[in-house]
Amino acid sequence: ALAKARGLVPDEVEDFEALPGLGLRARLGGSLICGGSLDFIGKESRIPGGARREAERLAAEGKTPLCFARDGRFLGLVAVADVIKEDSARAVQELRNMGLYTVMLTGDNERTARAVAAQAGVDEVIAGVRPDGKEAVIRRLQEQGAVAMVGDGINDAPALTRADVGIAIGAGTDVAISAADVVLMKSRLSDVPAAMRLSRATLRSIHQNLFWAFFYNVVGIPLAAGLWYPWFGIKLSPMIGAAAMSLSSFCVVSNALRLNFFKLFDASRDRPGARKAFQAGGFRPAQEALAASSCTAVLGVKGMMCGHCEAHVKEALEQVPGVLEARADHERSAVEVRLSGPVDEGALRAAVEGAGYEWAGMASKLAVQTAHS
């Protein structure tokens, strides 16, 4: 309403493009307008040194700088920030005390992500991850053990499905909720360690019930059948046997009902020592695990003339399954791509030619040193 009152309602937008992990691009009144990350706008226009320093300062404070340009001319920047919830740092600390290695997986830039991670107290940060790259990171981490993923957005859905346990925030998108195994209805991060405590208590109760069920049957059935009578003169009255079986069921049900009195938010019984044993068991940090079986390939691509062309080629190649990241350089007519594993060269060529550029072959393919080397 305020924009209409001031006559600021824009013309009809044309050729709108949403570039995942980068920003937005469209035509407005014949002009090409762009908005997005510092790196993305840096390819569309020349960013003044003062603005770049201000963006880096804001990122260091945990804010995400968003830059804007029009027809190759830098317009300015704004900063947005997600406020960390009051219980987030405590929840992360409780997870660490339970022996879990915490990783922050985000599409924000490295500086912003590390500033936020320092406030939350997470062990490791993986920043600048595209939406389709989150699922690849989860897949790499699963090589080290079971992985639980907490998310709330549309981009988190593939990672939630891939994880051994997907945990969705109740206030998140419907897609994320549908993809998750567990939904936190109150949208509190402190419910994550609470859910894990309840899961462990439930599993412990199941083990106890199985033990007592087998104990009663192993002892009671031979007695009721009179197997020990010829040697020891011991036998079991049918009435006592029936009572014992009823008592067995009573014990199992009563033990299960004890979960009603379980204190979800009591962290006093968490095992602080389990975390060191887990790390000593050979857990590799997430970044190392992600690169463990990846490789880098350099592709020859002709026809790129500017930063816009680079972004177009980058977007096309990163849609190919197995491509984690693509970096285009129009001056060298080359694109460096990071692959999660073997990728069909024909798929890469089809992506380049489908974007309207000329394929010039795969210049080189260098294996990345694995963490086991």
Side-chain angles (χ1 to χ4, degrees), residues 18 104 128 300 331:
M104 178 179 172
E331 294 181 354

Side-chain angles (χ1 to χ4, degrees), residues 195-275:
M196 293 186 175
R197 291 190 192 100
L198 180 59
S199 299
R200 291 179 175 180
T202 302
L203 188 60
R204 186 165 56 247
S205 179
I206 291 173
H207 290 163
Q208 292 169 352
N209 288 343
L210 287 173
F211 168 79
W212 285 112
F214 279 107
F215 175 79
Y216 269 101
N217 284 285
V218 169
V219 174
I221 290 177
L223 283 174
L227 295 180
W228 308 124
Y229 185 76
W231 293 279
F232 306 103
I234 302 175
K235 62 181 179 179
L236 186 65
S237 168
M239 294 181 63
I240 297 177
M245 289 304 298
S246 298
L247 181 62
S248 171
S249 300
F250 174 78
C251 290
V252 169
V253 173
S254 298
N255 188 48
L257 290 175
R258 287 193 310 117
L259 290 173
N260 290 324
F261 305 101
F262 182 76
K263 297 179 180 179
L264 296 176
F265 299 97
D266 183 8
S268 60
R269 295 187 178 182
D270 292 343
R271 303 187 299 273
R275 177 180 164 78

Side-chain angles (χ1 to χ4, degrees), residues 9 18 81 171 184 190 279 290 327 345 356 365:
V9 179
L184 307 179
S190 58
Q279 287 182 298
L290 178 61
R327 297 181 180 180
E345 184 176 341
K365 186 173 184 180

Side-chain angles (χ1 to χ4, degrees), residues 11-321:
D11 299 330
E12 188 69 23
V13 173
E14 301 175 346
D15 300 332
F16 176 82
E17 288 183 273
L19 307 175
L22 297 175
L24 306 173
R25 183 191 294 122
R27 289 199 171 275
L28 178 65
S31 298
L32 178 65
I33 57 174
C34 305
S37 66
L38 184 68
D39 292 339
F40 172 60
I41 299 302
K43 295 179 180 180
E44 300 289 336
S45 66
R46 191 186 72 81
I47 300 179
R52 188 176 293 274
R53 288 191 295 272
E54 179 66 13
E56 293 175 352
R57 183 189 68 81
L58 293 169
E61 295 177 357
K63 302 174 182 177
T64 302
L66 300 176
C67 303
F68 301 89
R70 182 167 188 163
D71 288 334
R73 183 171 62 89
F74 178 75
L75 298 179
L77 64 87
V78 297
V80 297
D82 291 327
V83 179
I84 296 180
K85 295 183 179 180
E86 296 179 358
D87 64 336
S88 296
R90 178 170 60 86
V92 171
Q93 185 58 49
E94 290 180 2
L95 290 172
R96 298 180 66 189
N97 290 341
M98 295 170 72
L100 303 177
Y101 192 89
T102 57
V103 179
M104 178 179 172
L105 189 59
T106 177
D108 287 337
N109 65 73
E110 185 82 14
R111 189 183 294 266
T112 301
R114 292 199 175 279
V116 175
Q119 299 177 45
V122 299
D123 294 299
E124 186 175 354
V125 177
I126 301 181
V129 182
R130 288 172 53 87
D132 53 349
K134 292 184 178 181
E135 188 268 345
V137 174
I138 297 298
R139 193 166 59 247
R140 294 286 172 265
L141 290 175
Q142 285 177 320
E143 297 175 2
Q144 309 305 311
V147 177
M149 164 76 181
V150 183
D152 62 354
I154 295 176
N155 297 333
D156 296 326
L160 289 169
T161 303
R162 169 64 62 178
D164 296 280
V165 179
I167 304 175
I169 304 298
T173 61
D174 292 338
V175 175
I177 292 175
S178 299
D181 303 299
V182 179
V183 179
L184 307 179
M185 301 307 297
K186 295 184 179 179
S187 302
R188 300 179 306 195
L189 195 61
S190 58
D191 286 342
V192 175
M196 293 186 175
R197 291 190 192 100
L198 180 59
S199 299
R200 291 179 175 180
T202 302
L203 188 60
R204 186 165 56 247
S205 179
I206 291 173
H207 290 163
Q208 292 169 352
N209 288 343
L210 287 173
F211 168 79
W212 285 112
F214 279 107
F215 175 79
Y216 269 101
N217 284 285
V218 169
V219 174
I221 290 177
L223 283 174
L227 295 180
W228 308 124
Y229 185 76
W231 293 279
F232 306 103
I234 302 175
K235 62 181 179 179
L236 186 65
S237 168
M239 294 181 63
I240 297 177
M245 289 304 298
S246 298
L247 181 62
S248 171
S249 300
F250 174 78
C251 290
V252 169
V253 173
S254 298
N255 188 48
L257 290 175
R258 287 193 310 117
L259 290 173
N260 290 324
F261 305 101
F262 182 76
K263 297 179 180 179
L264 296 176
F265 299 97
D266 183 8
S268 60
R269 295 187 178 182
D270 292 343
R271 303 187 299 273
R275 177 180 164 78
K276 292 183 179 179
F278 183 67
Q279 287 182 298
F283 179 80
R284 287 178 291 162
Q287 291 282 21
E288 193 175 352
L290 178 61
S293 62
S294 65
C295 65
T296 300
V298 179
L299 314 178
V301 178
K302 297 181 179 180
M304 296 186 294
M305 305 297 293
C306 59
H308 176 77
C309 297
E310 292 177 352
H312 197 191
V313 173
K314 173 182 174 68
E315 180 187 7
L317 285 171
E318 290 181 347
Q319 298 299 320
V320 178

